[in-house]
Amino acid sequence: MNTHQEKLWSKEFILITLCNLLLFLNLQMLLPSFPVYTKDAFNASDFTVSLVTSLFALSAIATRFFAAGILRKGKVSIILYTGAAIAVLATAGYYWCGSIALLLVMRVLFGIGFGLASTTLPTMAAHVIPPHRMGEGIGYFGLSTSLAMSIGPIIGLSLLGSFGFGTLTTAGTLVLILIFPLAFANRSVDLSQAGSAASTSSSKKNTGAALKKIALPGLLNLLLSVTYGGLLSFLALYGKEAHLSHIGSFFLFNALAIFLVRPFSGRIFDSKGHFGIMIAGAVFTMGGLVTLSLATSTLYIILAALLYGLGYGMIQPSIQAWMIKEVPVEQRGLANSMFFNSLDFGVAAGSMLLGVIAMHADYSGMYRISALFMGLFLVLYLVVSIWQRKKRSSQSEQRTA
């Protein structure tokens, strides 16, 4: 396969993006519904509810280290089919869970399947995107996740409220099954050449150098994801506490803002780099969280969602493209693994930490505290960026001296 092709919207790219849409649609249909279901079915505490999210995320993190190693050998189909199959079995298994303990076991199993599939798909996408259009391509690829974020929670919460948890799990299972024919039609995509390169040139030293290059964007992604963990785990419960009847509209308008900004942010990243995107995105995200914490009506929810979505849509695809461009081709599996691991670890940490805070304060106060993580994001990014620029300037002066 020619990775230097000019065409972005190839058959391979479209099929990979559709597979990613289905994978995240399953996730987003079920994830925001779990807190309500767990509270109602098992009378669980806020911390136990947070485990439904965090255990899934932690198992996905552990799995991706394994997946990244196999991807360096080019075993794309094996990982994708295995991950999708495990996720199908876990989603179907939710229906049979008669205890919170068994439900948590299924969440761990789903995390394993999701970890395998979610590492493979963006690595495949990066392999077929023209290198000079990486930011734009990852931005469009990420729109599949945004679409899932917009319609998934609405579908999930509607199915849960109207037909019950059994119907919701059945729908989620069918969504995942559709991945198999799409993946089968995409057999022309493989990473065998990249895997061969990795087997001859990759070493612990090269891996260490790659990890060092992607450490900053990975940490920034983690801080951003802490805030998103608080939204996934507690937004529906916050709506009940604050008597906000249309709290689910947050997901719709959040995704709408992401849809609007992602193509533009990707092109800006390709032409100008990440500096302006990170700063503006952090400010928008903070504004969204603070506005949400003050919400007294649907209008506040919509405004908060638009602000948060603009920031999230600017930052996240730019971070992923940043990490991919920092590493050689054979290390793209590692970069995508670390990107999603930082995302999932942030979601897990945010779910647990903010869950503990919610036990001692109301949800509005919890979201104001959540905004402080984006303040830390902004400070960390500016400090490191300024230090790196001074370092490069000093090195340049030494070379010219």
Side-chain angles (χ1 to χ4, degrees), residues 191-360:
L191 307 183
S192 56
Q193 292 182 350
S196 175
S199 64
T200 56
S201 65
S202 182
S203 64
K204 290 183 178 180
K205 181 178 179 180
N206 291 338
T207 300
L211 289 173
K212 185 177 180 180
K213 288 182 178 180
I214 61 179
L216 175 61
L219 182 55
L220 296 175
N221 195 42
L222 185 151
L223 292 172
L224 174 66
S225 300
V226 165
T227 68
Y228 191 58
L231 293 172
L232 287 175
S233 295
F234 302 110
L235 188 63
L237 299 174
Y238 173 49
K240 285 187 175 183
E241 178 188 79
H243 306 291
L244 298 168
S245 57
H246 299 288
I247 193 70
S249 61
F250 181 95
F251 293 108
L252 177 61
F253 286 95
N254 174 64
L256 176 62
I258 292 173
F259 260 98
L260 293 174
V261 76
R262 266 193 165 176
F264 299 103
S265 64
R267 291 170 188 163
I268 293 171
F269 175 87
D270 287 332
S271 61
K272 303 294 185 181
H274 50 74
F275 188 77
I277 291 176
M278 294 296 127
I279 296 173
V283 172
F284 278 125
T285 306
M286 288 178 65
L289 291 167
V290 172
T291 302
L292 178 63
S293 74
L294 301 173
T296 56
S297 66
T298 302
L299 182 61
Y300 272 89
I301 296 171
I302 293 173
L303 178 58
L306 291 174
L307 289 172
Y308 188 89
L310 286 173
Y312 195 91
M314 293 173 71
I315 294 172
Q316 196 183 59
S318 298
I319 285 179
Q320 188 173 14
W322 180 6
M323 295 175 80
I324 290 172
K325 294 190 75 169
E326 286 291 330
V327 301
V329 173
E330 66 271 11
Q331 296 282 11
R332 283 176 176 171
L334 174 66
N336 280 308
S337 173
M338 293 305 296
F339 171 79
F340 282 103
N341 276 350
S342 60
L343 189 160
D344 284 338
F345 186 77
V347 168
S351 180
M352 289 189 290
L353 178 60
L354 295 175
V356 172
I357 293 172
M359 293 174 66
H360 298 89

Side-chain angles (χ1 to χ4, degrees), residues 48-209:
T48 302
V49 168
S50 73
L51 289 178
V52 174
T53 300
S54 58
L55 286 181
F56 143 74
L58 292 173
S59 61
I61 290 170
T63 302
R64 287 198 185 97
F65 289 108
F66 169 76
I70 297 183
L71 280 173
R72 285 197 292 268
K73 300 177 182 179
K75 307 295 184 180
V76 177
S77 297
I78 293 175
I79 298 180
L80 182 56
Y81 289 138
T82 301
I86 293 173
V88 166
L89 292 175
T91 304
Y94 294 145
Y95 178 75
W96 307 103
C97 294
S99 67
I100 188 67
L102 190 57
L103 180 64
L104 293 176
V105 170
M106 288 297 106
R107 293 300 288 156
V108 170
L109 186 63
F110 180 82
I112 293 172
F114 184 83
L116 291 172
S118 64
T119 304
T120 304
L121 289 169
T123 303
M124 293 170 67
H127 196 62
V128 300
I129 294 171
H132 69 283
R133 300 179 70 180
M134 188 62 68
E136 181 184 5
I138 290 296
Y140 281 120
F141 175 77
L143 287 179
S144 61
T145 305
S146 304
L147 180 59
M149 287 171 58
S150 65
I151 64 176
I154 296 171
I155 294 172
L157 291 171
S158 297
L159 288 175
L160 179 65
S162 301
F163 302 102
F165 192 67
T167 301
L168 174 58
T169 57
T170 300
T173 302
L174 293 175
V175 165
L176 284 178
I177 289 174
L178 292 175
I179 290 178
F180 290 92
L182 292 176
F184 185 79
N186 203 26
R187 289 176 297 167
S188 59
V189 178
D190 69 82
L191 307 183
S192 56
Q193 292 182 350
S196 175
S199 64
T200 56
S201 65
S202 182
S203 64
K204 290 183 178 180
K205 181 178 179 180
N206 291 338
T207 300

